[in-house]
Each structure stands twice: as structure tokens, then as C-alpha cells.
Amino acid sequence: MTQPLRRPQGGRIDRGKHLSFVFNGERMEGFAGDTLASALIANGRHLVARSFKYHRPRGIMAAGVEEPNAMVQLGRGAATIPNLKATEIPLFDGLEADSVNCWPSVDFDMNAVMGLMSRFLPAGFYYKTFMASLGLWHRLYEPRIRRAAGWGRAPDGPDPDCYDHKHVHCDVLVVGGGPAGLAAATAAASGGARVILADEQDEFGGSLLSLNRTVDGLSGGDWVAGQIAALAGRVETRLLPRTSVTGYYDGNYLIAVERRAPTGDGSSTPGNPCMRLWHIRTKQVVLATGAHERPLAFPNNDRPGIMLAGSAQTYANRYAALPGTRAVLFTNNDGAYEAAFDLHDAGVMIAAIVDARPAADAGPAEAAARRGIDILPGHAVADTNGRKRISGVDVRRMTPDSRELMGPARKFTCDLLLMSGGWSPAVHLFSHAGGKLKFDDEHACFVPGAVDAGIRSIGAAAGRFSLAAALQDGTRAGAEAARAAGFDGGGASPVPSCEEPAAGTVAALWLFPPAPGAAPGKNAFVDLQNDTTAADILLAAREGFSSVEHMKRYTLSGFGTDQGKTGNINALAILSSAVGRTIPQTGTTTFRPPYTPLPFGVMAGRNIGLMNDPARTTPMHDCHTAHGAVFEDVGQWKRPWYFPQAGETMDVAVARECLAVRERVGMLDASTLGKIDIQGPDATAFLNRIYTNRWDTLKVGQVRYGLMCHEDGMVFDDGTCARLGDNHFLMTTTSGGAANVLNWLEEYLQTVWPDLNVYCTSVTEQWATVSLSGPRARDVLKKICSDVNLSADAFPHMSYRAGSVDGVPARIFRISFTGELGFEINVPAGYGARVWNAVCDAGREFGITPYGTETMHVLRAEKGYIIVGQETDGTITPADLGMAWIVSGAKGDFIGKRSFARADTARADRKHLVGILTEDPGAVLPEGAQLVADPKGSPPIPLLGHVTSSYRSACLGHSIALALVKSGRDRMGEQVFAPLEDRVVTARIVGPVFYDAKGERLHG
């Protein structure tokens, strides 16, 4: 295997390490240090992709994240990764990649017929064509478009790669490891600051790895190596190559993605993840993110072999890969001349330099003359030739105002066209942070403007494109950032000296005129990935899309994976000219994170499978398993659902458990209930504001049930709260709502009532809870608790006592969620299994029966007790639940109080909680079933309400249900109907309490 366009020497590749890879089924060879893009270029592969809309042939245009064309599918099977840029993929042995968006192959793409129809498919054609008939859109157009749309293929199995996250803090984060970033990191570290230096490339050095520069008397590469060695020797400095900072958020919080191992081969392990997501908190940020070279907009500027001049220079110098053998340069600035000269010196024939400016600057002109390269000032490329690769260009002179072409075309044969329209600072992270941009007329680009303190843009990222300016900016900004972070740092760091060509001028030329007789902007591509042409932008302007955001959405400019990094400014400028505004008046589109696409895997990290939703188990879990429990998920908890005996169905088991509780005694693992320890001098006042009822009247040793409402007066959560001491309470919440309640309490304490001296601590996991319920509950507890008087008079319902159970210190509460005599035994979690077994042993003579959540639901529904989230849905007030008694009118303000005065909360037709008894005792209504007054009416039939809970009651011998029904309390005894899929069930409205309406049994 040969690499026909690999330079015989030079570059930063490791020629001693040969790597084999496969692209589109063809085996090729490269070297360590290559990217997939550089290896393809060295192997002479220029047609690598097809465009999104017209499926035009496309080649590699750039050398970094700004690449719009070279999208590939990396890897095979479950490890495959779609839509990666070949310019960002480090070459590794065994790499397999394929072109995307082409069938059957990139060389022969059947969908290329779309290019022949391009005149009928301008911007917005889908709105004008496909939306006229909604029926055709759904039946014909949309299905076909969806089949044709998309880029790569999503993997069809679990991702075998491993990813992780890491959270770090530093004083100064420097983003970008080019000359400006290296100088800034060195200065900040010398000042004593903890520094993180992150760069998206495999090597630090930035432009110094591609340009021939001398810094402090050393070659650019040697100077970079010295700086990195010095920084690596500092304990407080962290170097992160292969790390792209993709998002900048409030409070100097940034995220970065580090590539640690090859992706696409599934070889990564937890000890060696393929990617890591860094969460970085820093005091100061220095943005040394560089700039992106801009393409030029001229007819047929998208053929394979047309490349950004700086990128071609990078391939030739850094990777020793020549993008062509005979080239033409088309530019509007001096910077591109150096690229042409480096390629010429590497053996590429430069046929001509086409300079759009009226005259080339003296320095570059003289250098070109020494090399025998012709310069054509005041000229433009009028068209390009070739099919799957450029074969030549037509060059014409422009009129002095650059609006038209004139004279005959000069034809140049070439297999490489270099283009350069100037440079655009990479201001994305600056904009993420809320920074405002301003337009730099001298360099024809947007540069950072106003921003809050703590952010510094330097070098090319600030529109200062010379190496000397980059080194000066970096040294100054690094020292300033260290001082702003609180470090004196001693004397100022010296600014490195450098040698470089003089900077020249750039002409603000955005759209070049077509050949005489051709339509303006036709096939002059601005967004190469989405096939957005200048003609599309001009059409958008004519049709009234003068806002840059509207134009973007109408034309898709900037919507690709490169997010307009190469074409954005060109699109803005063309729109500005078309609508008669300046570029600053038009403004920019919005830069949003991420700066580069993120794999879903790295966003998830290790939080997948069980780690995504960890299964929480109570201390008694093994006891339940041994007893044959069937579990259900409640929040993240595994709770026993029911305990079937041999041959029992769920219905039979639940009926047995229900009767055991009603007739004898049952035991439930209630450890999952949320428990929040609340302490502080202002705890009572805090609870008075949180709950709807009063808490200043609750005595130590008593328990009270409470409701919490949101500001709109709707029920949020419920539970009991015990007063353990004068300033000490224990709040319980629903199992699934514990975290939300705690967050809610903290939000109010920290933002609304910071003057209150209250501390809230989650203790759910610290306590195991055994709930005893039934007529024989006291008899069971007496056997294992001798230091607490358990009589009804000494220990009444809704009270608390401290004692011991089976010798274990315990908190015992007289609470019942079943309507029977009940005790809740709370012991330290480590004793949960011991106490559970002790209760089992003590209750054996009384026929004690473990029961699960399904039985608990039946028992509480028989009593009309609500479950928040089942009988409520965010639109239900306490009064709707028949619990107006719990809203105190004798205390001050509390959350939701004002909302109860709204007319809407007192409407007569609000939904009320009621009971439902079916005409057929055995008919169990499905939860969610809709209730109507007349099932035979014409649709739409008015709905009265819906069933919230529904069960078969073994105790009552009848199905029961709770429901929310309009004006329900005024409809007692009325008949309602539940239209189901196969039948209509007749029922009547009753009170919500089906069992022991006077509540006598729970007093025992």
C-alpha cells in the first residue's frame, strides 16, 4: 500500500508506526499522528462525502472542527458512531469508516439526481410545495422525506464504549493551547494560580504546528515542547489535550469533552473510558480559541479539491500530506499567500494567485515573484470545472467596484483550489457567557465586545491575528487572571519574541459576481453541508425574511453540524447587502452550546442502566425476598407489592392480606416514606408557613397530619409530622416525593425566608420503619416492647413515644394509614432486618401477615385516604378533596393561602373527591376511566370526571373506587356511567369513605 500524496519527509507524524485502516471498504495506510482526513488526503482520496440536499460530490475542505463536508460513519455494529468529522478523528490501527448520505456509494449516489432538480428546490420550496395539501403531506411527502433525510445510522444495540464524568475546580481555565493560550497558562501558573489548559487538538501548539515560525529563537514546535514540559512540571497545573470545551454557563461553569481512547471500536473500559466529560468551575477564564478561516462564495465553489488555504497548509506542514499537485489560490487577504508559498516549497505547482483586491501588498507580491508565481490582482474565480474533483478554474477580471466580471476568461488547469476569505474569531464560548459582539471593519469580522469581568479573549479569538499579538495578549491576560483570582504572582512574565511575516490587508468581499448572463449566487455555496447558496439567501431577502434568525431557518444556513463556523459571516453579509443594511445592523445568529456535537454516551457517562435509575432497597429487602415477595418500583425503591403463597394469584394474595389486617394484624415495610428532620428556633414558624394547618399548637410527643400546597393553592404533598422537641420535628412525605419536598423546603429557606433559622436534613435512609396494623397490633408490640405504656389512654392515636423494641432504641408512632389500630416502629436502619424478624416472631401466635403496597392501597381506599399524585394532579385543592378542615383560618400567611381567595377555587363545578360503587359488585373500573352522565349522547359526550383509584375490596365484598367528579359532593346517589372499550359500566356516586365511617377502629 502506498500513500501517493505523502511528502517523503517532514510533518509531525510518526513514520515508524504504520497504521492500517479501511474507508468505504478500501484498505489504506497512514501513520500515528494522522487524522482520518490527513490519511485520506495522503492516499489521494478526495471524494469523501455527498451534500445533504443535492447530494453533490464533496471533499475535505478544512482541517478542524469547522469542516462542513467530510462526515463519516465510524466503526461497526453497536460501537458505530454516526456523523463524525474526518478532520477530528485521530487515526488508529483497525479504524473502519464509511461515507454517509449516499447510496449505493459515494462514487455513484443515486440521489445525485436531486442536483439536476436544484432549480426547482430553492430555499423554502418545502413550505410552498408540500404544505399546500395536509393530506398529501401526511400520506406522501412526509414519509418520503423522512426516508431520505438524515445523515448517518444510529447504532442498533447498547453502546459498548465506556464514558465518565469528572468535576474539578481551578483558579484560571485557559481554553485553547495555541501560542496565546500557552503564554496565558504560563503567566497564570507563574503567578501561583491553579491552571487548567484545555485544547481540542491531540497536541498543544495550535497554529505553531502548521506555520513556519520562530519564538524566542526556537522553532515553533520546539518552543511549544518547552512550554508544555514546564507546565507539566507544575503540580497545580492540569493539561487537557484532546479536550473540547463545548459550553460556557453561569457562574464560570464550563463543560469539556476529553477524547481518551479510540471511539468506534468498543475497546474502552471503565478503567480507560473513551471519553470524559469535565465539569469545570473556575474563577477566571481566558479564551484563546483562535479563529476559523472563511471560504469565498463564487460559482461551484464546492467541488472536491477546493480547500481552505490554511487547512491545506496544515495538511502539508503538520501531516506531510499534499492535497494536490497543481493549485490555484483565490484570496482577498495576504495571509493566504504564505499557504501557497509553503505548498509551493513542498512541491505543489502553484499555477496562479487570484487576488480579489485591486493590488497585492508589496511583501507577498515580491515573495511570489521570487518563486515565479503569477498574481492576478482584481480578478475572481468565475467558475470551476470538474465532476468528482476539480480539474480547472475560469478566472475573469472584476470591475473596480467588484460588482461584475469583464473580459475573457483565463483558464487554469488544477486539481487543488485554495481559497481564503479572511478569518472569523471563534467567539462561541464568549457568546455562551453572554458576551456582546462588535464588528471589526479592518479585519471584516465580529470580535468580542462587552462582557462581565472574569472572561478574557485573547489572540485570534479577539481579532488580533499576528503571532506577536497573541503572545502579548496571552502573557498579559494570564497574569491579570491570576491576580483577579487572588494571587500576587510577583513580577511580570516576559513576553516571548517572535519572527513572522508582516500582516496585510483584507478586502470585505462576500459574494463574487457570476459570469455574464448567469444568475447571481447560483451554485455559490455559503453553507456547504446544507447546500445553502447565496441565491437562497437573496431569495429569502426578497420574500421578506430580513431578520437573520428568520433567514437562517428559511434557508438552513448554519444548521449543520459545523453550526456555521465557516459560512456564517458570509451569510450575514450577503443578507445585509440584499436588505440594504450594514453587517452590524443585521447582527448575528445566536451561538448556543454545544460548540461541537456531543455523543449521548458522554452526556450520560456512567449513569446508564441501573446507575441511571439506581434500585434502592430497604434494610428488610432480604427478609421480603425470603418470604417470596413480588416487588414493584416506587420512585427508585423496590417495595414489596404482595406476598403470594403457593398457588395464589395476585388478587387472591391481596384479598388474604387485606382480611388479615382487618381481622388480626398485618405488618408493612414503610421504610421508604420520606423522612426529613427539621430543627431550629424558627422550625415551628417555618412549618406554619409550609403547611395549610397550624403547628404552633402541636405539643411535644404529638403527631399531626398536614397538607402542603403550591403557591397556586393546589395540593403538592402530604404526610405526618411529629414534634420530637420544642424546636425539633420529624416530617414524613410520600415515598416518591421526598426529594422534591426537601428541595422545595430548601428553596424557600434559602431564597424567600433566609431570615429563618431552620435546618432540614433528609433521614429517609437512616431509619427503618415497620408498620403494625390491625386489631391485634398492640398485643404483638407488647411482646417486644416493655418500656412504653402502649394502652390507648397512655399512648393515644397521633402521638409519639421513645422506647426500645427487641432491645433496639426506637421511635414509636401511633399512626394508621389503614384505619385500624396502628403503630409505626422506627429504628436505626442497621437494625431494620432484626426488628422486622422480631415482629414476625412476636406476631406468629396472632396470625401476623406481611402485606405489600397493593394491600396498603386497598385498605387506605376503603377509608377514603388520598394518595398525592393519584387523587391529585396539580389542579386539586384541599377543598376539592373534602379537606377544607385542614386549611387553617386562624393563622397568618402560608403558601397557597391567597390562592384560596380566588373565585376559581370556589367554583361550584370544581371536581370533588367522591366514592364510586358499581352496580355489579364484581366490576372493577380501570383507573383513569372517564365518567359520564349519559353514555348514549352524541359525541362529544360531556365528561363528569375520572376514576383515580379502583380496587376489589375483600372486606366489603364489592369493588370500590375513588373519583374526581364535577360538583361531586352535590351528586350523592346519582347514577354515572363509565364507557369502556367493550362495555359500559353503571355506577353511583357515594361518599369516599367505604369502611368504618366514624373512624372508631383506629383508636383501638
Side-chain angles (χ1 to χ4, degrees), residues 823-882:
F823 297 89
E824 285 190 2
I825 306 166
N826 282 251
V827 296
Y831 293 95
R834 167 180 164 175
V835 171
W836 177 270
N837 289 327
V839 172
C840 282
D841 292 341
R844 189 166 289 114
E845 67 174 286
F846 305 106
I848 196 168
T849 300
Y851 67 95
T853 54
E854 187 66 17
T855 297
M856 177 191 70
H857 289 166
V858 176
L859 296 172
R860 66 90 195 171
E862 291 173 345
K863 286 292 297 176
Y865 296 155
I866 68 166
I867 291 182
V868 172
Q870 191 154 333
E871 272 65 55
T872 67
D873 60 3
T875 67
I876 303 301
T877 70
D880 297 336
L881 297 171

Side-chain angles (χ1 to χ4, degrees), residues 862-863 993-1001:
E862 291 173 345
K863 286 292 297 176
V993 181
F994 299 94
Y995 177 80
D996 186 25
K998 294 183 179 180
E1000 296 172 343
R1001 294 180 64 90

Side-chain angles (χ1 to χ4, degrees), residues 686 689-690 709-712 742-756 894-896 898:
F686 178 57
R689 300 179 189 183
I690 290 293
C709 293
H710 277 308
E711 294 85 345
D712 58 6
L742 181 60
N743 290 340
W744 188 60
L745 299 180
E746 287 292 351
E747 179 180 352
Y748 268 89
L749 283 173
Q750 295 179 33
T751 65
V752 182
W753 304 315
D755 55 306
L756 293 184
F894 57 89
I895 300 174
R898 281 170 289 180

Side-chain angles (χ1 to χ4, degrees), residues 436-457:
K436 304 300 181 184
L437 303 179
K438 61 183 180 181
F439 194 73
D440 182 341
D441 290 305
E442 179 183 356
H443 297 101
C445 61
F446 281 99
V447 298
V451 71
D452 293 336
I455 306 173
R456 293 168 176 80
S457 294

Side-chain angles (χ1 to χ4, degrees), residues 769-774 777-779 781 790-791 795 812-816 820-825:
T769 303
V770 181
S771 177
L772 264 177
S773 191
R778 183 179 286 111
D779 297 328
L781 188 55
L790 300 176
S791 67
F795 196 173
I812 306 173
F813 302 88
R814 271 290 310 273
I815 300 172
S816 176
E820 301 291 341
L821 169 66
F823 297 89
E824 285 190 2
I825 306 166

Side-chain angles (χ1 to χ4, degrees), residues 290-313:
H292 298 132
E293 192 170 15
R294 297 192 294 259
L296 296 170
F298 56 90
N300 293 307
N301 61 339
D302 65 326
R303 301 189 193 281
I306 301 178
M307 184 176 288
L308 295 172
S311 297
Q313 185 179 24

Side-chain angles (χ1 to χ4, degrees), residues 331-377:
T331 184
N332 64 0
N333 65 87
D334 283 348
Y337 278 69
E338 185 180 2
F341 298 157
D342 282 357
L343 288 168
H344 174 274
D345 297 344
V348 177
M349 169 66 182
I350 306 298
I353 294 178
V354 181
D355 196 328
R357 299 171 297 178
D361 291 338
E366 292 173 1
R370 289 196 301 269
R371 291 174 171 82
I373 301 174
D374 291 334
I375 299 177
L376 303 177

